[in-house]
Structure formats: structure tokens, C-alpha cells
Amino acid sequence: DTGVSQDPRHKITKRGQNVTFRCDPISEHNRLYWYRQTLGQGPEFLTYFQNEAQLEKSRLLSDRFSAERPKGSFSTLEIQRTEQGDSAMYLCASSLLPTWQTTGETQYFGPGTRLLVL
Amino acid sequence: AQTVTQSQPEMSVQEAETVTLSCTYDTSESDYYLFWYKQPPSRQMILVIRQEAYKQQNATENRFSVNFQKAAKSFSLKISDSQLGDAAMYFCAYRSAGFGSRLTFGEGTQLTVNP
């Protein structure tokens, strides 16, 4: 068990460019979450997947953001036409929800991708 | 919508002493989960302890324990025998027991451990 991994760890881009982040969850974890954390604040929920289905999206996830989890394993988060306000740490978390449970399982976080938009 | 408030932006403790971090939350739900996560500098968020709201007994994990007061909507974290490695940002988080799986975090408390 190698934990949740994220790539890249750091990304610097110019305003208007597109960026894509990848998250690899803990093996066999069926739920995957994306959060955004700005400096000095707690993480804010963006979206989550159960297997390949995207079940919930926050209002923070504007039309410029899109997330996928095509085969129910790794996930990508793409930001199109980046803005300076997108500068933040993007955190991924995963969890294993047993079939007999509907919620309450522990989420395990990755190291995050720190995005700076110039 | 649920909210989580951590009223102590910064706390400090002497090594080997005990410190308590405060957290309050607002919800109309009766069933939910509460968590404390630790985020060391430039390192990933780690679960410290969790509490199910339906359990009256306070959760404990080695040197970490909580004081869960459901009526007061309070969920404080006590760290006993503080160690230098406990220095980190601590986040309190709420999670509904209903369908939504999001964690709602507080603003965090920066804990410094002095040798």
C-alpha cells in the first residue's frame, strides 16, 4: 500500500493556459475526492467519484474545471483558461466504502499539487 | 449547510505538556461523523482521530483523545505528552451520515511545540 499519489507536486503556469493534474488512489479504493486548499484555509470540497461515476460536484467547480475517473482507478482534474484565483493546493483523497455501508469511511489524502498561476 | 469553526488560529505547548484544540460545528443533522486531521508543513494530511456522533464514548488514539459534546456541538482534541513531531496544522472536519460524502473543514489551528 503506497498511499495516495499526485502528479505533479508543483505546477507554475501562465494565466489562460490549461493544466491537468493526476491522482492515483490507494489500490482498490472505490471512492475518490478532490479538494482545493488556499493558503491558511481548510480544504474545500470540489467533487467526488464512486468508481467511475461522478456523484457530486461543488458549486466551486466552475465550467472551466472538469474531472474524470474513466476506469474507476486514477483520476484527472483539468482546469481550462486558468486564472490567478485558481492558485491553490489541489488535494486528492480516496476511501474504501464497503458494500454494506453508505458513508462514514475514512478518507486518505495525497500530498497535493500546488498550482501557481502567474 | 454545515459549518465548522476553529477559534484558535495558533496554539503553542511545551514538550511533554498537554494541549487542547477547540472545534465547534453547526448542523441540523442528528447523525454525522467528526474528524481531526493533522497537516505537517509541506506534508500530506493525516487522520488523527474520528468520532461517530451516535457513540457517546469519546474516541481515543494513544496520546490523542476528544471531548465530544453533542448538545453543545463541540469537538475538542486533547494531545497529551506533546512531542516535537506533533507540530502541525490541525483541522477539524465534519461529515454527514447522509448521502453526501464531502468533508467540511474548519480553518485550522497551527500548533507549535516548544522544546
Side-chain angles (χ1 to χ4, degrees):
Chain A
D1 184 352
T2 58
V4 179
S5 61
Q6 293 186 245
D7 183 67
R9 295 289 307 276
H10 303 273
K11 179 71 176 178
I12 300 174
T13 191
K14 293 182 179 179
R15 188 178 55 181
Q17 297 295 304
N18 299 343
V19 295
T20 300
F21 309 141
R22 176 179 171 127
C23 171
D24 286 90
I26 294 172
S27 179
E28 299 184 354
H29 276 195
N30 52 8
R31 281 188 166 178
L32 187 147
Y33 313 79
W34 286 99
Y35 292 85
R36 182 172 70 184
Q37 185 179 21
T38 53
L39 202 61
Q41 300 295 317
E44 296 175 292
F45 171 81
L46 293 177
T47 188
Y48 93 94
F49 295 82
Q50 182 156 327
N51 299 313
E52 65 275 8
Q54 189 172 16
L55 296 187
E56 189 178 0
K57 293 193 291 185
S58 162
R59 285 174 291 180
L60 291 175
L61 212 66
S62 75
D63 291 345
R64 297 184 298 105
F65 288 70
S66 63
E68 294 182 342
R69 195 183 183 198
K71 297 183 179 179
S73 57
F74 73 91
S75 175
T76 58
L77 177 67
E78 181 184 16
I79 309 175
Q80 296 181 328
R81 305 180 304 281
T82 52
E83 301 173 356
Q84 288 182 326
D86 296 332
S87 296
M89 175 80 85
Y90 290 84
L91 297 170
C92 177
S94 73
S95 66
L96 176 61
L97 183 70
T99 53
W100 47 268
Q101 218 173 305
T102 58
T103 189
E105 80 287 3
T106 295
Q107 297 180 22
Y108 296 89
F109 283 81
T113 294
R114 186 170 294 282
L115 173 67
L116 177 61
V117 181
L118 301 176
Chain B
Q2 294 82 19
T3 58
V4 177
T5 302
Q6 293 179 247
S7 59
Q8 306 154 315
E10 297 177 348
M11 290 283 285
S12 64
V13 63
Q14 292 296 125
E15 198 175 2
E17 297 293 306
T18 296
V19 65
T20 298
L21 308 184
S22 300
C23 172
T24 58
Y25 56 95
D26 186 26
T27 184
S28 58
E29 299 175 330
S30 59
D31 197 13
Y32 48 86
Y33 301 86
L34 296 165
F35 303 83
W36 279 99
Y37 278 89
K38 166 186 176 182
Q39 189 176 41
S42 302
R43 296 182 65 182
Q44 63 202 78
M45 192 116 45
I46 303 166
L47 177 69
V48 175
I49 198 165
R50 60 176 278 159
Q51 174 80 42
E52 289 84 355
Y54 63 84
K55 291 186 178 179
Q56 292 187 336
Q57 187 173 5
N58 289 324
T60 62
E61 286 288 345
N62 301 315
R63 299 182 294 107
F64 299 88
S65 62
V66 299
N67 184 4
F68 173 48
Q69 301 289 328
K70 191 171 184 179
K73 297 180 182 176
S74 170
F75 182 61
S76 61
L77 174 70
K78 185 171 82 171
I79 306 174
S80 303
D81 186 25
S82 297
Q83 300 175 0
L84 294 178
D86 294 333
M89 182 72 88
Y90 286 80
F91 291 99
C92 177
Y94 172 101
R95 185 179 189 181
S96 170
F99 178 73
S101 281
R102 65 177 66 191
L103 286 168
T104 300
F105 286 87
E107 307 90 335
T109 297
Q110 182 67 53
L111 178 66
T112 300
V113 181
N114 300 309

